[in-house]
Amino acid sequence: MMEEEELEFVEELEAVLQLTPEVQLAIEQVFPSQDPLDRADFNAVEYINALFPTEQSLANIDEVVNKIRLKIRRLDDNIRTVVRGQTNVGQDGRHVKEITRDIKQLDHAKRHLTTSITTLNHLHMLAGGVDSLEAMTRRRQYGEVANLLQGVVNVLEHFHKYMGIPQIRQLSERVKAAQTELGQQILADFEEAFPSQGTKRPGGPSNVLRDACLVANVLEPRIKQEIVKKFIKQHLSEYLVLFQENQDVAWLDKIDRRYAWIKRQLLDYEEKYGRMFPHEWYMTERIAVEFCHVTRVELAKIMRTRAKEIEVKLLLFAIQRTTNFEGLLAKRFSGCTLSDGAPKKVEVPPPSTNPFLEDEPGPEMEELTMDKGDLDQPKKPKVPENPFHGIISKCFEPHLYVYIESQDKNLGELIERFVADFKAQGPPKPNTDEGGAVLPSCADLFVYYKKCMVQCSQLSTGEPMIALTTIFQKYLREYAWKILSGNLPKTTSTSGGLTISSLLKEKEGSEVAKFTLEELCLICSILSTAEYCLATTQQLEEKLKEKVDASLIERINLTGEMDTFSTVISNSIQLLVQDLDAACDPALTAMSKMQWQNVEHVGDQSPYVTSVILHIKQNVPIIRDNLASTRKYFTQFCIKFANSFIPKFINHLFKCKPISMVGAEQVRKT
């Protein structure tokens, strides 16, 4: 009974003191022990059996029990000491927390004290700064004011949340009053130095005005804008007088003088006033930009008044000189003043490389000449965008109709010249080297188109490009009609001639005049030319879409013109098919009219077969050789001829009368 109770006690003890293997291993490493009681796998039964191995050893049981009780008391004392120690730690923690709270209060007090001292210092600086600012303003000590005003404004920002305090609010109002007075005073100083009416003050800028510009940087932006506006207006006042609309130098033929004048003015400005204004004001660029705006308005006004006097050469001359000047501006300036964005840093070239000292004209807008070329040439490296492009030359756009009308006239003359040359020189010579070659006139036409397109895109990428596209469409159609379709040959007979329609309607048995070798070569040449025009027109459409403004791309469509050239190709193939088909008709007619019932002997080859083969051998090699560069169209010709000839041949077979019995027997034997 006692053993069972001991076992239950041991099991309950193990359940309570069961530790994980990791924890037990850690305890053994920290507190190594040989005592069986400290082992994780302690077994009470084995331990008791070890203490009392025999019945005789039970005589010492009282001594063993006393030792165990002593050990238990020691463990209880150790546990009590540890528990009490933990209680003391809690009391020490509360004590430390109270000390920390006191330290935090001291920190807050220190921070508040520091803030108060800083605020008092700022208040002292603000009060003294406002007094000094007012005194320096009265004495126009702008150099000292520039630095002091910025400091006062920065200090005043610290008191923004204290504006409810009357003294602080009063100091703020004094600062605003000083800023207002400074702005008015500086504007008055500039008005005196550079009056709106009258001549500029002789001599260079004074140090007072240079320091005043530094002060204007700190004041509200309106002051700086007013200074810039008045100075530029005064600087360009002479220009408006010299180039008034009624002056001879104001017209387009003397447009160079405008740009020469501003070059001199900019050089004069940099020499006399370059150091007066801060570099970040970009005054040189601002003067140039304002000159461009004024010039654009003035040129537009005078061109409206004298529109009838504008000729294409004069217009191109003015545009070329203007775009050269815009390119010169792009070399010298960044264009940062053209937008509201943050200015970019601009490196000012040294005097030896100043573009305004260079007087080299840009490339002339050359006359359109007739050189061989192709629209599909390798692209040139992309040129950096010119921010000044169009700043003046935009005014010429409303008058580009003069240029478009000129190109309309030139292209009309070019087409008439092509027609005259074809009549004078005749069709290509009938040999394998030249037969079927592309007519040289089509290459000339597209070279001219390319030059027109490039030149017009330099003038404008807007509506004028659409107008030019319309002109291109007009003369592509005229070329197809007058040069290609208009020169397709017609077969001649005793009746006076045979067209495509008459070929379709010819009567059986009629004599048909075949195309000559020269005419076959001409048809092939026109077909090859139409194919070249079709492919190049597609390239032209792509190039036009690249050049024109994105908003106008949908209005570029040359599909109708490409269809026109496709029609020329189709008609040319049909002519070749109908010519060969018509040449074979007499043989087929002879076959159907032959008295087959009288045939008693079978020969090697019938005359009508010989005739058909002869016509095919005559025409097909010529057509093949002349369409060597366009094999797909030779294939189309062969297919169309087969589709036309075979049904006709079968139809004539059905018309043949039965042969004689003797002839049929001979045919069977063979």
Side-chain angles (χ1 to χ4, degrees), residues 507-521:
K507 298 179 179 179
E508 268 191 358
S510 64
E511 292 296 330
V512 178
K514 289 182 56 181
F515 287 139
T516 64
L517 174 62
E518 292 82 358
E519 290 172 331
L520 288 176
C521 291

Side-chain angles (χ1 to χ4, degrees), residues 358-404:
E358 303 172 7
D359 199 22
E360 298 179 2
E364 296 286 343
M365 288 196 174
E366 56 188 32
E367 293 295 327
L368 297 180
T369 56
M370 301 310 303
D371 298 327
K372 299 292 183 184
D374 188 19
L375 289 173
D376 194 15
Q377 293 183 350
K379 294 184 178 179
K380 297 180 180 179
K382 187 176 181 180
V383 179
E385 185 179 354
N386 177 4
F388 294 92
H389 177 67
I391 190 171
I392 299 176
S393 56
K394 195 77 173 176
C395 68
F396 297 110
E397 279 200 15
H399 304 277
L400 285 179
Y401 69 87
V402 176
Y403 171 78
I404 301 300

Side-chain angles (χ1 to χ4, degrees), residues 372 422 426-428 436-444 479 483-484 487 522 525-526 528-529 532:
K372 299 292 183 184
F422 192 92
V438 175
L439 297 178
S441 59
C442 74
D444 294 341
Y479 186 84
I483 308 299
L484 301 182
N487 286 309
L522 175 59
S525 180
I526 290 177
S528 299
T529 303
Y532 173 87

Side-chain angles (χ1 to χ4, degrees), residues 420-486:
D421 289 347
F422 192 92
K423 290 180 179 179
Q425 299 171 7
K429 301 299 180 183
N431 61 60
T432 55
D433 294 331
E434 295 184 9
V438 175
L439 297 178
S441 59
C442 74
D444 294 341
L445 177 67
F446 282 105
V447 168
Y448 193 89
Y449 271 20
K450 177 185 176 182
K451 293 188 176 183
C452 284
M453 177 182 65
V454 172
Q455 192 176 69
C456 187
S457 66
Q458 293 173 348
L459 306 178
S460 171
T461 56
E463 288 294 336
M465 282 290 288
I466 301 299
L468 184 66
T469 301
T470 303
I471 298 299
F472 285 172
Q473 292 174 299
K474 173 183 175 181
Y475 289 102
L476 284 174
R477 292 191 297 269
E478 286 205 10
Y479 186 84
W481 296 332
K482 294 183 177 181
I483 308 299
L484 301 182
S485 294

Side-chain angles (χ1 to χ4, degrees), residues 269 278-287 334 336-337 343-346:
Y269 163 80
H279 175 67
E280 62 271 15
W281 285 23
Y282 304 102
M283 284 299 293
T284 310
E285 179 175 329
R286 291 183 186 277
I287 294 172
S334 69
C336 61
T337 63
K344 302 175 183 177
K345 185 177 180 181
V346 181

